[in-house]
């Protein structure tokens, strides 16, 4: 989410005389220096930091000044020290901003060090900005047993859910029609509760066998959503993708941060985005709860049955099992993190982890195998996502739909870490 004006300033900072003295230092000055550091990290590893609307001069100077990982990590530590020396007696939002910026600097430093899968908790704490709480898997067994009773059939619970999803697989040539109808309804429902600035979403349909969908916010109110035509998409998944990736999920979240924090407040640190960092658990928590906020189970059932299934040339089967599955999914949040932790730490073999994901993440064999591949590439990202969803779900439980929308918009509008999201339950 970079703006050309900021990058021009960043280019000047790269050749400035040095940091301010302690007496005149400010969070804005530290934030500007963080952006310069993020540009240097981007020049070293483009996958670490996202840069939109690239200013060639600023990036060229960042590339010249980048140094090595050790140098960037050392400079990140210095910025943390400057930040800690500031007063923190401002408004609640100012204090939240200070914690947020500090977490991003710690994350940047940590990501420049070799990964240490032997200490997964420390990785999550330093990279994603919160201390994970891993729960014993036995805590989730009662919810899974109840779901098994609601979904009679042969095989594991993951197999039964896989069989249910197979009844809703959308033919490739109908994926665009189904997704765009889902997207239009998600947007309509979002606009009933959230006023959006000028925005636009471009939808692409790549043949991606690994990821069902993704969203990339590129700035100026625009996102590019990618929906795979090569992944076996089912109707419910396409509705989830519309809510998760776009409205009211990732697109609305990043659009709002860009508009409110980078644009209206002129906070420089929100002009760049770390692909793995403290925003991940918050963003994934928002996106994962988006479908349940936008649609009650009854509304979801009716919309899929009456609108999306006919577009796919299908008829819904076993509606009562779909509702049972939707209602059970939040009850197993946290289980994925425990399995992923043990797999990353080498305590589980792949086949053991696969079997556990089938039971405790309610996946079929194919989806569980795909998740193992993702964890092998992205490490504890899945833990950050799962626990982010769990924390967000907890603050939404028992709330009216109107209050859920209010909380969702508040999270999407402020510089929150996951601990700030959890604290909303006490307000």
């Amino acid at each position: 989410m970079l703006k050309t004006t900021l990058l021009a300033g960043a280019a000047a900072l790269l050749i400035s005389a040095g940091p301010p003295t302690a007496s005149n230092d400010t969070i804005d000055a530290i934030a500007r220096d963080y952006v310069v550091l993020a540009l240097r990290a981007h020049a070293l590893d483009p996958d670490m930091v996202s840069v939109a609307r690239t200013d060639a001069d600023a990036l060229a100077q960042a590339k010249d000044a980048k140094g090595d990982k050790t140098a960037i990590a050392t400079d990140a530590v210095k910025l943390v020290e400057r930040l800690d020396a500031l007063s923190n007696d401002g408004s609640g939002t100012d204090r939240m901003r200070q914690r947020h910026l500090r977490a991003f600097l710690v994350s940047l430093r940590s990501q420049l060090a070799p990964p240490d899968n032997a200490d997964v908790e420390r990785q999550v704490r330093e990279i994603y900005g919160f201390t994970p709480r891993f729960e014993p898997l036995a805590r989730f067994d009662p919810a899974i047993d109840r779901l098994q009773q609601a979904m009679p059939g042969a095989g594991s619970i993951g197999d039964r859910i896989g069989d249910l999803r197979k009844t809703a697989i959308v033919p490739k040539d109908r994926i665009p029609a189904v997704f765009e109808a889902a997207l239009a309804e998600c947007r309509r429902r979002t606009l009933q509760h959230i006023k959006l600035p000028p925005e636009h979403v471009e939808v692409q349909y790549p043949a991606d066998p690994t990821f069902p969908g993704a969203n990339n916010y590129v700035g100026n109110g625009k996102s590019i959503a990618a929906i795979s035509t090569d992944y076996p998409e089912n109707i419910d998944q396409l509705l989830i993708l519309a809510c998760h990736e776009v409205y009211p999920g990732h697109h609305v979240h990043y659009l709002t941060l860009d508009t409110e924090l980078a644009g209206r407040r002129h906070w420089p640190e929100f002009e760049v985005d770390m692909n793995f960092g403290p925003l991940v658990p918050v963003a994934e928590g928002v996106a994962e709860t988006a479908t349940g906020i936008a649609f009650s189970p009854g509304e979801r059932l009716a919309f899929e049955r009456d609108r999306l299934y006919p577009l796919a040339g299908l008829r819904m089967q076993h509606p009562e099992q779909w509702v049972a599955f939707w209602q059970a999914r939040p009850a197993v949040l946290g289980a994925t993190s425990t399995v992923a932790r043990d797999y990353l730490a080498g305590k589980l073999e792949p086949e053991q982890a696969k079997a556990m994901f089938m039971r405790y993440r309610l996946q079929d064999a194919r989806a569980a195998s795909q998740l193992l591949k993702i964890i092998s590439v992205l490490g504890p990202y899945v833990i950050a996502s799962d626990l982010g969803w769990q924390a967000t779900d907890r603050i939404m439980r028992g709330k009216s739909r109107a209050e859920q929308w209010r909380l969702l918009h508040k999270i999407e509008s402020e510089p929150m870490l996951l601990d700030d999201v959890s604290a909303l339950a006490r307000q």
Side-chain angles (χ1 to χ4, degrees):
M1 294 182 284
L2 282 170
K3 295 182 179 178
T4 302
T5 53
L6 174 77
L7 283 172
L13 282 169
L14 285 166
I15 55 175
S16 66
T21 63
S23 61
N24 64 4
D25 212 356
T26 66
I27 191 170
D28 285 335
I30 297 169
R32 287 192 294 269
D33 288 350
Y34 160 72
V35 171
V36 173
L37 206 60
L39 291 179
R40 288 168 56 194
H42 172 81
L44 193 67
D45 181 0
D47 291 332
M48 186 178 297
V49 178
S50 294
V51 178
R53 284 181 277 171
T54 304
D55 181 281
D57 290 340
L59 287 178
Q61 292 194 48
K63 185 175 181 179
D64 291 340
K66 70 177 185 293
D68 56 20
K69 289 184 177 181
T70 300
I72 297 174
T74 299
D75 287 346
V77 171
K78 292 177 181 177
L79 290 184
V80 170
E81 292 171 350
R82 285 172 55 194
L83 195 62
D84 288 347
L86 294 181
S87 168
N88 61 355
D89 57 358
S91 69
T93 303
D94 289 337
R95 291 194 299 272
M96 189 186 298
R97 179 195 181 189
Q98 193 165 335
R99 294 194 303 271
H100 187 277
L101 180 55
R102 189 185 196 282
F104 270 76
L105 285 163
V106 170
S107 180
L108 180 60
R109 181 202 65 196
S110 181
Q111 291 183 59
L112 293 166
D116 179 13
N117 287 337
D119 193 346
V120 177
E121 180 178 320
R122 183 178 64 79
Q123 280 194 69
V124 174
R125 185 172 61 251
E126 293 188 356
I127 294 175
Y128 296 105
F130 72 100
T131 299
R133 180 172 177 262
F134 297 104
E135 301 185 64
L137 293 177
R139 190 186 78 76
F140 305 100
D141 287 332
I144 294 171
D145 292 341
R146 289 192 297 270
L147 181 59
Q148 285 179 317
Q149 293 176 6
M151 298 186 68
S156 69
I157 187 61
D159 289 330
R160 297 180 206 181
I161 292 168
D163 290 341
L164 182 65
R165 285 170 165 160
K166 287 175 184 176
T167 67
I169 296 296
V170 180
K172 288 185 179 182
D173 62 340
R174 299 200 180 196
I175 287 175
V178 173
F179 179 76
E180 285 160 29
L183 187 66
E185 181 64 11
C186 292
R187 186 175 190 273
R188 184 187 73 81
R189 289 170 178 257
T190 299
L191 289 173
Q192 290 178 341
H193 301 275
I194 298 175
K195 183 178 180 180
L196 298 179
E199 48 89 25
H200 173 66
V201 177
E202 176 186 338
V203 182
Q204 300 176 351
Y205 296 96
D208 184 345
T210 304
F211 294 97
N215 185 78
N216 181 28
Y217 181 72
V218 296
N220 287 323
K222 179 181 177 181
S223 280
I224 299 174
I227 305 302
S228 172
T229 58
D230 206 30
Y231 194 94
E233 307 276 18
N234 65 72
I235 284 174
D236 190 58
Q237 185 173 48
L238 288 174
L239 178 61
I240 291 171
L241 287 172
C243 288
H244 180 119
E245 303 294 350
V246 193
Y247 306 105
H250 289 321
H251 167 67
V252 174
H253 191 179
Y254 282 87
L255 168 69
T256 306
L257 290 178
D258 190 21
T259 302
E260 291 297 318
L261 304 185
R264 187 172 67 85
R265 291 181 181 266
H266 306 293
W267 288 354
E269 65 270 34
F270 288 92
E271 304 281 355
V272 295
D273 183 36
M274 293 173 59
N275 293 328
F276 304 93
L279 187 57
V280 165
V282 179
E284 291 298 332
V286 164
E288 292 284 16
T289 56
T291 308
I293 292 173
F295 295 85
S296 70
E299 291 168 341
R300 184 171 176 176
L301 185 72
F303 179 66
E304 291 189 5
R305 181 193 62 213
D306 300 339
R307 177 64 174 150
L308 299 185
Y309 272 82
L311 286 172
L314 302 172
R315 291 182 61 187
M316 176 179 273
Q317 300 180 39
H318 311 296
E320 71 288 346
Q321 293 190 19
W322 281 109
V323 173
F325 170 58
W326 297 333
Q327 292 177 334
R329 186 67 182 89
V332 297
L333 293 175
T336 293
S337 298
T338 299
V339 178
R341 176 202 61 185
D342 291 346
Y343 177 63
L344 285 168
K347 297 179 181 179
L348 294 175
E349 296 296 326
E351 284 303 312
Q352 292 175 304
K354 177 180 173 181
M356 288 187 175
F357 281 134
M358 290 178 68
R359 176 172 175 78
Y360 290 103
R361 194 177 169 88
L362 308 179
Q363 293 184 308
D364 59 23
R366 183 186 184 280
S369 296
Q370 286 295 105
L371 184 60
L372 287 175
K373 293 178 183 177
I374 291 170
I375 292 173
S376 296
V377 174
L378 301 184
Y381 186 104
V382 171
I383 295 173
S385 173
D386 182 52
L387 295 181
W389 185 2
Q390 182 185 56
T392 309
D393 176 74
R394 282 176 173 168
I395 69 164
M396 298 296 179
R397 290 181 192 175
K399 304 292 196 306
S400 68
R401 296 284 292 284
E403 178 64 5
Q404 289 178 349
W405 278 104
R406 187 192 72 81
L407 288 170
L408 179 77
H409 187 51
K410 181 177 179 65
I411 295 168
E412 291 185 330
S413 305
E414 297 183 2
M416 289 197 178
L417 300 174
L418 190 59
D419 287 345
D420 297 310
V421 174
S422 297
L424 292 173
R426 300 188 292 272
Q427 295 180 8

